[in-house]
Amino acid sequence: MLWHYFDLAWRNIKLTPFISLLMIIAIGIGIGVTMTSLSVYHMMSADPIPQKSKQLFAVQLQTMDDGQTWNTSDDVPTQLTYVDAKYLMENSPVAKRAAMMKSGAAVHLGKPDSTPFIQDVRITGRDFFSLFGLSFLHGEVWTQAQSEQAAPVAVISEDLAERLFQRTDVLGESIYLDERSYEVIGVTQFWQPSLKFYDVNNGPFQRAEHIFIPFSHIEAYQLHSWGNTNAWKNEETRSYAQFLNSEMIWLQFWVEINSPSQLKNYQQFLMDHMLEQQKLGRFNRKQLDYNLKNVSEWLGYNQVVDPDNKILVGLSFMFLAVCLANILGMLLAKFLKRAPDAGVRRALGASKRQIFYQHLVEVALLGFLGSLVGILLAQLGLIGIRETMSIYVGIAKMDWMMLLISPVIAIFACMLAGLFPAWVVCKTSPATHLKVQ
């Protein structure tokens, strides 16, 4: 019976091609606008590393004196000082941890025909790769000895290797970061999380870095952050050593914790560190405080999904409702024009329920066809966003879930709009139309 309903629906659509096309276009426009905003919101709020998001924790320490405030909900800074980050790196009771910061340099090959270009650099610990799931195409991460010696070694992405050398097997090759030469010891496979969750300071939708060098280079080569560096007290920082030992907050720190007992031990480790520092004149507070937030908590804490994006999704659904209001009028006119056909079917034995279902199937088919148009328009909209807003390149796309949801939303919305027209037609008395006939 359902196949018969679909056959009748397709015949009726072909009998009224103009009004059917208008409805399909109206549905398509509504779905296109809705799915464009919904897809961006979906990618913004998606878990960027679902396989480990519950085990990865961002570390925060309340280093400020009593009375000082920060631009977070609990007044705890989102980054660490160099003194704290270095101590946590060297003494952490958990195996996998990484202090890090964003920097950058002019990248070139040190040859006359090599044109330098600016590239972001991630300065971090050797556990960064295992923490965040980066895989190596060639080579491996630097050794602990190389890190301690601040050896001039680097890991680069396969994209950067292709750009510099037109190949990926570049182990042993040299690249220059500004005027300093680095040996390439590893090449990572393509890695581009939907959100730069590990460092949201300069925008969570920035692209991931393509160059990685050891954390020890910060002190050895007096490297500076290209991210946020914040201060809460007046200090003399004329020399680089003074800067490193200051209360400047500029480093991110992540750890992997796999059990409640590990979590409890690490919490005690942080508290012991703060108590020890308090004896040295730091952490001048009555109540010591820290945060350990997993990835989902961290994104919510930093308000990665702006409330404006939620409003935009709501407005797009309101626009879809306006499109459906117009479709409702066209459906009512179309169905009433065919009311004599429904009357004849009723006289031949069709029930009201069958007439009602037949018209709903026709509406559902219109919704499905409209969803195909909507998906095409949504793809065009997402391309426009990627071209005009480069920071959204990683999230302005439609995944399989959104592709499947599009026809569901379109069909459901159209069936909702078609309930009243279908009810009006099935309630019509057959005798009225038989007399006309």
Side-chain angles (χ1 to χ4, degrees):
M1 183 62 73
L2 183 61
W3 178 251
H4 176 63
Y5 289 161
F6 274 112
D7 182 57
L8 288 176
W10 180 243
R11 291 172 184 270
N12 290 331
I13 289 173
K14 291 194 295 183
L15 286 174
T16 54
F18 181 71
I19 193 170
S20 298
L21 182 61
L22 283 179
M23 287 190 284
I24 290 171
I25 292 174
I27 297 165
I29 293 173
I31 291 296
V33 171
T34 301
M35 295 312 300
T36 298
S37 61
L38 189 60
S39 294
V40 172
Y41 178 80
H42 168 69
M43 294 302 296
M44 279 184 176
S45 56
D47 190 340
I49 184 167
Q51 69 275 18
K52 296 183 72 175
S53 62
K54 299 299 183 183
Q55 288 79 48
L56 297 178
F57 291 84
V59 179
Q60 297 172 263
L61 298 179
Q62 178 53 283
T63 59
M64 299 186 298
D65 295 344
D66 275 328
Q68 300 292 330
T69 60
W70 202 262
N71 59 344
T72 54
S73 58
D74 55 2
D75 287 328
V76 180
T78 54
Q79 301 185 102
L80 302 183
T81 66
Y82 182 78
V83 172
D84 294 322
K86 184 178 180 182
Y87 180 84
L88 298 186
M89 276 285 286
E90 294 175 351
N91 300 278
S92 177
V94 297
K96 294 183 180 180
R97 72 275 191 190
M100 65 189 79
M101 77 169 189
K102 173 186 175 182
S103 189
V107 181
H108 58 97
L109 297 179
K111 300 176 182 178
D113 59 345
S114 175
T115 303
F117 57 90
I118 299 298
Q119 190 73 43
D120 290 340
V121 178
R122 178 62 38 178
I123 306 177
T124 185
R126 63 192 307 272
D127 291 330
F128 178 92
F129 304 92
S130 57
L131 276 173
F132 301 116
L134 280 74
S135 300
F136 278 85
L137 193 63
H138 303 287
E140 58 185 359
V141 68
W142 51 84
T143 64
Q144 184 63 34
Q146 287 174 320
S147 179
E148 292 172 355
Q149 298 163 9
V153 293
V155 172
I156 66 175
S157 69
E158 62 174 314
D159 289 347
L160 185 61
E162 286 283 0
R163 181 175 180 179
L164 290 172
F165 302 100
Q166 291 74 54
R167 54 191 173 88
T168 60
D169 188 2
V170 295
L171 300 184
E173 297 284 359
S174 294
I175 64 171
Y176 281 79
L177 303 182
D178 294 331
E179 300 303 319
R180 189 174 294 110
S181 175
Y182 285 79
E183 179 189 352
V184 177
I185 60 169
V187 178
T188 61
Q189 292 181 350
F190 176 79
W191 181 70
Q192 189 59 62
S194 58
L195 299 175
K196 194 177 175 182
F197 62 95
Y198 58 89
D199 183 4
V200 299
N201 293 283
N202 297 109
F205 308 116
Q206 299 288 336
R207 307 296 282 170
E209 294 83 6
H210 292 274
I211 303 175
F212 307 88
I213 59 177
F215 184 76
S216 56
H217 287 202
I218 294 177
E219 188 170 352
Y221 301 127
Q222 299 189 4
L223 301 179
H224 293 277
S225 171
W226 281 26
N228 289 355
T229 300
N230 305 105
W232 58 271
K233 65 184 294 186
N234 292 323
E235 297 177 284
E236 185 174 322
T237 55
R238 295 182 181 180
S239 69
Y240 194 75
Q242 287 176 322
F243 171 72
L244 292 182
N245 289 297
S246 72
E247 294 297 329
M248 293 281 190
I249 298 168
W250 51 293
L251 296 164
Q252 306 88 50
F253 199 93
W254 286 82
V255 295
E256 181 177 332
I257 299 176
N258 296 305
S259 68
S261 61
Q262 267 194 340
L263 178 60
K264 185 177 180 179
N265 290 338
Y266 196 79
Q267 289 171 331
Q268 187 60 52
F269 165 71
L270 294 179
M271 186 59 69
D272 291 343
H273 167 64
M274 289 189 289
L275 288 170
E276 189 64 31
Q277 290 295 303
Q278 200 172 47
K279 296 176 183 177
L280 300 176
R282 300 181 65 219
F283 295 89
N284 295 313
R285 306 181 61 83
K286 293 180 181 178
Q287 183 69 41
L288 295 175
D289 196 13
Y290 64 86
N291 284 335
L292 282 171
K293 295 187 179 295
N294 64 35
V295 174
S296 299
E297 294 168 343
W298 182 246
L299 296 179
Y301 181 78
N302 286 279
Q303 297 184 340
V304 168
V305 180
D306 195 289
D308 290 345
N309 295 110
K310 297 179 181 179
I311 295 173
L312 186 60
V313 172
L315 290 174
S316 66
F317 273 99
M318 291 174 64
F319 180 77
L320 177 61
V322 172
C323 294
L324 293 177
N326 289 298
I327 293 168
L328 189 150
M330 288 188 282
L331 283 173
L332 188 59
K334 180 179 180 180
F335 289 173
L336 288 177
K337 186 177 180 180
R338 294 207 321 269
D341 295 339
V344 171
R345 290 191 62 209
R346 286 287 310 283
L348 292 174
S351 66
K352 290 182 180 180
R353 178 177 295 181
Q354 289 174 323
I355 299 296
F356 182 75
Y357 286 165
Q358 178 213 325
H359 285 83
L360 280 187
V361 168
E362 183 175 342
V363 172
L365 184 57
L366 287 169
F368 176 74
L369 295 174
S371 71
L372 300 181
V373 176
I375 290 173
L376 177 61
L377 294 177
Q379 295 289 3
L380 294 175
L382 292 171
I383 290 173
I385 292 174
R386 292 196 296 269
E387 292 295 324
T388 56
M389 304 179 70
S390 59
I391 63 170
Y392 284 173
V393 167
I395 61 172
K397 56 187 178 182
M398 186 179 290
D399 62 9
W400 284 107
M401 181 181 292
M402 290 294 103
L403 285 173
L404 294 175
I405 287 177
S406 296
V408 173
I409 293 176
I411 292 171
F412 176 78
C414 286
M415 291 181 70
L416 193 64
L419 287 175
F420 178 70
W423 179 80
V424 170
V425 171
C426 75
K427 293 290 288 184
T428 304
S429 174
T432 304
H433 301 293
L434 291 176
K435 290 178 182 177
V436 174
Q437 294 297 323

